[in-house]
Amino acid sequence: GSLRYIAPEVLKGLNLDASPAQDIWALGCILYALLHGKPAFGGKSRREISTRIMTGEYSIDEEVAARCSPELIDLIKKLLNVDDTNRITMPEILKHPWVTKDNLAPTKKEPKE
């Protein structure tokens, strides 16, 4: 996979086997990129990017935070938790307030008369 989506535990050599926690990390990277239009972990070199991933060094732009719900910001932080044993799990994601909020459901359009 692409360096910018690799989970920190893989870069640290702690867990090289594929795991749901690694997929959840990648999901966090994707969600961050969708909101910001750029990767969460930038840098000019592989070493710089790897270091930022391993330390969890990213920031949510103020402009992005202003247009996002606190629940969404919370979910991103839980997805991008560098400790894979404390990273949010898929069952927890499905129960997360941002996912369960009523305003995420499609609205029913009134039939035209």
Side-chain angles (χ1 to χ4, degrees):
S2 174
L3 173 62
R4 295 179 195 270
Y5 299 88
I6 295 175
E9 61 271 17
V10 175
L11 292 174
K12 293 175 183 177
L14 300 175
N15 187 356
L16 301 178
D17 296 326
S19 73
Q22 293 170 17
D23 292 336
I24 288 169
W25 175 271
L27 179 63
C29 293
I30 292 166
L31 185 55
Y32 181 99
L34 287 170
L35 292 171
H36 286 81
K38 63 181 181 180
F41 304 98
K44 296 181 182 192
S45 68
R46 289 184 62 82
R47 179 181 293 256
E48 184 178 2
I49 295 166
S50 296
T51 299
R52 287 186 176 159
I53 291 169
M54 289 187 286
T55 59
E57 184 185 328
Y58 71 94
S59 62
I60 296 179
D61 295 344
E62 287 181 26
E63 200 173 286
V64 171
R67 68 175 193 261
C68 293
S69 68
E71 294 89 358
L72 178 54
I73 302 303
D74 178 68
L75 179 59
I76 292 170
K77 289 177 181 178
K78 289 178 177 176
L79 292 165
L80 295 178
N81 184 335
V82 296
D83 181 354
D84 62 323
T85 63
N86 287 319
R87 194 172 300 142
I88 193 168
T89 64
M90 187 52 81
E92 292 168 334
I93 291 169
L94 294 173
K95 293 177 184 174
H96 190 276
W98 185 73
V99 175
T100 61
K101 281 179 83 167
D102 287 339
N103 64 3
L104 294 178
T107 57
K108 293 182 181 177
K109 293 187 179 183
E110 296 295 321
K112 292 185 181 180
E113 293 183 25

